[in-house]
Amino acid sequence: MRSLVAIAGLAVALAALGSPASLHAQRPLDSARDRSSSPSAREAAPIDLTGYWVSYVTENWRYRMVTPAKGEYRRIPSSPAAVPIINAWDPSADVKAGNQCKSYGAGAIMNVPGRLHITWQDANTLRLDIDAGTQTRLLRFTPRASSKAGPTWQGESTARWEPVAAPDRGGSLSVVTSNLRAGYLRKNGVPYSERATVSEHFDLAPLPDGGQLLLVNTVIEDPVYLNAPYVVSPHFKKEPDGSKWDPTPCSSTW
Amino acid sequence: MLIDLVVRRWALAVMTVALAAGAVFAQDGAAVLASRFEFAGSWAPIGTEDVQNDSVPVDYLGLALTDEGRTRALSYDESQKSMVERQCQGWGAAYMVLGPFGLRISTQTDPATNRLVSYTIDAWEDWMAMTIWMDNRPHPSANALHTQAGFTTGRWESGALAAHTTHIKAGFIRKTGVPLSDQATIDWRFFRHGDVLTVLMVARDPVYLVEPEIISKGFRLSKTPLDYRDPCVPGYEGREPGDPVPHFAPDQNPFLDEFIKLYNLPREAVLGYRDTLYPEYRKKIKDTYVPPPPCTADCGVAGNFVRRRGPTP
């Protein structure tokens, strides 16, 4: 009898264990049903990132607000393969090649001083417009079906909410970006390659004056031009409206 | 009997795994953050962000100082560190994110209830240990003792550890003499994503800061425990009671232009004016700023001008 009870318990446990796993396993078969029944990313958002945000440059000022000297890559764990490229940086050659947006790609754009405008493009796509360089990032919660598009400055971003377990509230937005066009981590030509990936967590924190801070914890990995992950965490203050929104074109020198 | 025992143990183990899995995945397969995370342990500094700003005497980049704060900072002479009563001023609470060290964090629990009472972030070479009280105790009276580390309480909030520090002894927010008053408060938030801990500091000071100083710094979970280092302990270094306090007249600080010339930086940025922290300022100096020439000698690692050089031509 005890064995029967125990076996029954095992069966229940296996069923319980199977539930999350089976959800994943069944997802391709039930995708149509899931789409109709599960909440959209917009509905499931544990935090509200929408609105206007401005860079508050209290860190890395000398590398962000002005263009550092050619050849300086302090704080970036560049690989030996990157050093000749760093020393050969030629902004005019970038302009001639149509590459003046090299320092505005997803590997660097959140560090470029400017403003973000975050909106929902649709129920499962968060859109980040950035006035510096007039760039747009699309953070997709439902991956696109096998995109064959070539690499771009902003790449392909897959997003996922990480809500805090109930009964607490809040959470984080996790974003992984790849399929990037080779770019610069810093304006003065410190490179990342097309094989780079950018992993980000978007977190919110209250400010003492009642405002809100957006912190973007960023880990950039590149098997070609980085010896180790490059970790930065730029932050933004919430603004009441878009009155200071000022799109500017990319610049290879500024 | 043996089969019964084995099956029951398997059932228990599988149920435990199932519960754990439930904590990781919600019904829609999305990852779920635990409402609190393991904070204790050794966290090594990642060091890929430039937050220290203390390699030259006058570098107030990234700060929004009041005029009084700027004047006090410019009057600072490094020789003050030879005075017993001023030796530890540079290593206040804020140095947790400004300094180059890692974090060794332990927990203290109530032996009767086993409930968490506090976290302690250990001292590291001059920085004083910080206790984060987690037992809902109130902050002491405003007249209570102010210390280098201050008095800090914490709580879990939205998957992060939020902490608030008061009772900070008057000292520096940069160890090169940029002042922080004893009226300053600091709000901390500790985020953990995988093996990366991000410490966010929001320091307010009604006396010396026009806007909060906000710094975030990354740490990586260390597989090997960090060492314990002694905190700052003042000692005699030649200055006698009654000796004058080493200082400069603020407008005659001999290091005023050093950093400005080294990197061709705008004076108002180096002196910590608020407007220099926002994107509009970048546009303002766009047509006047000239990057420094490439370093050709004594460049040190990563092409950085680690040694001082003469004025740029």
Side-chain angles (χ1 to χ4, degrees):
Chain A
M1 186 61 187
R2 278 185 185 171
S3 295
L4 284 176
V5 170
I7 289 169
L10 177 60
V12 169
L14 284 170
L17 177 61
S19 57
S22 62
L23 274 176
H24 292 293
Q26 290 168 12
R27 189 160 295 279
L29 297 174
D30 296 344
S31 57
R33 190 185 65 193
D34 286 354
R35 273 199 297 272
S36 61
S37 61
S38 60
S40 67
R42 181 166 51 195
E43 292 165 335
I47 52 175
D48 182 12
L49 298 173
T50 61
Y52 287 93
W53 302 86
V54 61
S55 302
Y56 186 56
V57 188
T58 52
E59 303 173 341
N60 296 316
W61 197 100
R62 198 164 62 77
Y63 306 124
R64 297 170 65 193
M65 291 294 273
V66 294
T67 305
K70 180 178 178 178
E72 184 177 344
Y73 58 99
R74 186 175 185 237
R75 299 286 182 190
I76 299 179
S78 293
S79 70
V83 175
I85 295 171
I86 293 168
N87 290 329
W89 174 58
D90 181 355
S92 59
D94 283 338
V95 173
K96 283 179 191 165
N99 283 335
Q100 56 268 45
C101 288
K102 269 189 122 170
S103 59
Y104 296 82
I109 188 66
M110 305 305 276
N111 285 289
V112 179
R115 284 181 167 79
L116 311 177
H117 183 209
I118 305 181
T119 54
W120 284 99
Q121 173 159 295
D122 58 47
N124 287 302
T125 308
L126 202 56
R127 176 184 174 115
L128 271 69
D129 286 302
I130 299 139
D131 67 357
T134 317
Q135 298 293 305
T136 298
R137 298 182 66 189
L138 297 177
L139 315 182
R140 300 179 194 280
F141 289 77
T142 49
R144 285 205 291 187
S146 65
S147 168
K148 290 180 181 172
T152 60
W153 296 128
Q154 303 308 331
E156 299 273 339
S157 296
T158 305
R160 184 182 67 171
W161 290 120
E162 292 183 352
V164 173
D168 290 341
R169 301 171 70 182
S172 181
L173 171 64
S174 169
V175 178
V176 177
T177 302
S178 58
N179 200 23
L180 289 163
R181 195 168 163 184
Y184 295 146
L185 294 169
R186 198 174 276 173
K187 181 69 73 181
N188 63 344
V190 183
Y192 63 88
S193 78
E194 292 188 356
R195 292 171 62 192
T197 57
V198 181
S199 303
E200 298 165 295
H201 279 91
F202 291 66
D203 292 299
L204 295 179
L207 286 173
D209 62 0
Q212 213 171 18
L213 194 78
L214 169 64
L215 185 69
V216 185
N217 294 290
T218 309
V219 180
I220 302 164
E221 293 171 284
D222 182 357
V224 182
Y225 293 133
L226 290 176
N227 276 335
Y230 178 48
V231 181
V232 288
S233 47
H235 49 259
F236 300 83
K237 284 182 173 180
K238 186 101 183 246
E239 292 200 313
D241 53 47
S243 58
K244 295 179 179 173
W245 181 255
D246 182 22
T248 52
C250 293
S251 166
S252 63
T253 55
W254 191 252
Chain B
M1 187 65 182
L2 183 61
I3 292 173
D4 178 53
L5 188 64
V6 169
V7 170
R8 275 200 288 170
R9 285 188 175 173
W10 264 99
L12 184 63
V14 170
M15 276 193 282
T16 303
V17 172
L19 287 171
V24 174
F25 293 102
Q27 285 297 303
D28 63 356
V32 174
L33 288 177
S35 56
R36 50 190 68 184
F37 54 79
E38 182 58 83
F39 184 49
S42 287
W43 299 90
I46 292 176
T48 48
E49 293 202 86
D50 199 40
V51 296
Q52 210 161 338
N53 296 83
D54 60 6
S55 58
V56 293
V58 179
D59 170 6
Y60 314 149
L61 283 178
L63 284 165
L65 296 173
T66 62
D67 288 342
E68 188 177 355
R70 190 174 303 105
T71 305
R72 274 287 302 268
L74 286 169
S75 73
Y76 178 73
D77 182 336
E78 191 79 358
S79 297
Q80 287 183 17
K81 286 202 173 75
S82 61
M83 305 180 76
V84 170
E85 69 272 28
R86 294 172 188 264
Q87 271 170 28
C88 299
Q89 282 187 311
W91 295 276
Y95 203 63
M96 187 200 319
V97 289
L98 302 177
F101 56 92
L103 309 176
R104 199 177 80 157
I105 303 170
S106 58
T107 57
Q108 293 76 48
T109 53
D110 183 324
T113 64
N114 215 27
R115 285 188 175 173
L116 178 67
V117 174
S118 62
Y119 290 109
T120 296
I121 304 175
D122 280 339
W124 193 93
E125 284 197 356
D126 297 328
W127 189 73
M128 315 297 273
M130 174 187 280
T131 298
I132 303 174
W133 297 102
M134 300 293 292
D135 56 358
N136 296 320
R137 70 181 61 193
H139 282 245
S141 148
N143 299 320
L145 180 69
H146 284 50
T147 63
Q148 290 295 126
F151 184 90
T152 305
T153 54
R155 67 190 185 284
W156 290 98
E157 192 176 294
S158 302
L161 174 61
H164 181 61
T165 300
T166 58
H167 295 77
I168 299 168
K169 192 174 181 176
F172 302 147
I173 196 165
R174 284 192 186 160
K175 69 184 174 98
T176 49
V178 184
L180 196 69
S181 81
D182 58 3
Q183 296 176 46
T185 58
I186 299 178
D187 285 286
W188 306 93
R189 205 156 273 248
F190 300 85
F191 299 95
R192 179 173 177 175
H193 295 296
D195 283 348
V196 175
L197 179 75
T198 304
V199 182
L200 172 68
M201 176 190 81
V202 179
R204 282 191 306 168
D205 185 349
V207 181
Y208 296 128
L209 293 176
V210 181
E211 287 199 37
E213 173 67 348
I214 300 177
I215 297 289
S216 56
K217 183 176 177 182
F219 298 83
R220 190 178 296 284
L221 187 62
S222 174
K223 291 175 182 170
T224 53
L226 298 179
D227 287 340
Y228 175 80
R229 308 287 179 90
D230 290 329
C232 184
V233 179
Y236 177 75
E237 292 191 9
R239 296 268 171 192
E240 301 292 345
D243 280 356
V245 178
H247 68 282
F248 302 114
D251 59 347
Q252 294 171 29
N253 188 313
F255 304 106
L256 178 62
D257 290 328
E258 183 184 27
F259 194 53
I260 294 169
K261 289 177 178 172
L262 188 59
Y263 294 109
N264 282 0
L265 294 169
R267 178 177 293 245
E268 62 269 21
V270 171
L271 293 182
Y273 282 87
R274 168 173 44 188
D275 290 353
T276 65
L277 307 183
Y278 289 96
E280 288 81 1
Y281 181 71
R282 193 161 178 267
K283 292 169 184 169
K284 181 181 167 187
I285 61 173
K286 177 175 182 290
D287 296 325
T288 55
Y289 175 74
V290 178
C295 182
T296 53
D298 296 332
C299 301
V301 292
N304 183 49
F305 305 107
V306 291
R307 292 196 188 173
R308 296 173 193 170
R309 56 177 193 173
T312 47

